[in-house]
Amino acid sequence: MTRPSPTHYIRQTRDNYEKLGFEPYQWFAADTPPAFTLPAKPLTESRLGMISTAGTYVHGQVAYYYKDDTSIRGIPRDTPVTDLRFPTSSRKTTWLRLVRTHALSSLPRRLPN
């Protein structure tokens, strides 16, 4: 199986903005590294929440339909992986399906209450 060539998202975004006549896209660049604190206890004894910008939702929920949709979809921990949905209008769909199939089944998928 041949791997697809990587998509150069930064170059592609800059090119698209230029074609549309916008000012050059300004990518965020932090002045300092992000703060990191070691957990107070092992992860096996902790509750872990995950936040994603992948547009993931559960079958039966309203999908993310437009670019600037900033609403949230809660995904209960017991959701079968087969009920997870990802946007189909992006080139990352194949990769997301791989992640969904091989990794997400073992991750907690809801922020703690």
Side-chain angles (χ1 to χ4, degrees), residues 9 11 20-21 25 28 34-35 38-39 49 52 55-56 58 65 67 72 75 88 96 103 110 113:
Y9 291 104
R11 185 177 68 224
L20 294 170
Y25 189 83
F28 172 77
L38 290 172
S52 171
T56 310
V58 178
Y65 284 111
K67 177 183 157 200
I72 297 170
I75 301 176
T88 58
L96 289 171
R110 186 175 178 186
N113 293 333

Side-chain angles (χ1 to χ4, degrees), residues 13-25 67:
T13 301
R14 285 184 180 138
D15 292 347
N16 287 342
Y17 266 62
E18 183 180 341
K19 287 177 193 173
L20 294 170
F22 291 109
E23 294 289 323
Y25 189 83
K67 177 183 157 200

Side-chain angles (χ1 to χ4, degrees), residues 81-101:
V81 173
T82 54
D83 286 350
L84 295 178
R85 300 291 184 263
F86 296 89
T88 58
S89 62
S90 87
R91 294 189 63 185
K92 62 184 174 183
T93 302
T94 301
W95 180 82
L96 289 171
R97 284 187 183 139
L98 278 174
V99 169
R100 177 182 71 190
T101 303

Side-chain angles (χ1 to χ4, degrees), residues 19-20 31 40 43 45 54 62-63 66 78 88 92 113:
K19 287 177 193 173
L20 294 170
D31 295 330
L43 288 178
E45 299 172 17
V62 175
Y66 54 94
D78 59 350
T88 58
K92 62 184 174 183
N113 293 333

Side-chain angles (χ1 to χ4, degrees), residues 1-78:
M1 181 171 149
T2 304
R3 296 180 85 180
S5 60
T7 301
H8 300 279
Y9 291 104
I10 292 175
R11 185 177 68 224
Q12 182 180 356
T13 301
R14 285 184 180 138
D15 292 347
N16 287 342
Y17 266 62
E18 183 180 341
K19 287 177 193 173
L20 294 170
F22 291 109
E23 294 289 323
Y25 189 83
Q26 297 296 312
W27 294 92
F28 172 77
D31 295 330
T32 59
F36 180 77
T37 303
L38 290 172
K41 55 186 175 179
L43 288 178
T44 55
E45 299 172 17
S46 304
R47 292 185 71 178
L48 179 69
M50 187 169 99
I51 297 174
S52 171
T53 59
T56 310
Y57 60 98
V58 178
H59 177 71
Q61 290 179 333
V62 175
Y64 294 90
Y65 284 111
Y66 54 94
K67 177 183 157 200
D68 295 324
D69 184 347
T70 58
S71 58
I72 297 170
R73 308 290 185 276
I75 301 176
R77 177 188 311 255
D78 59 350

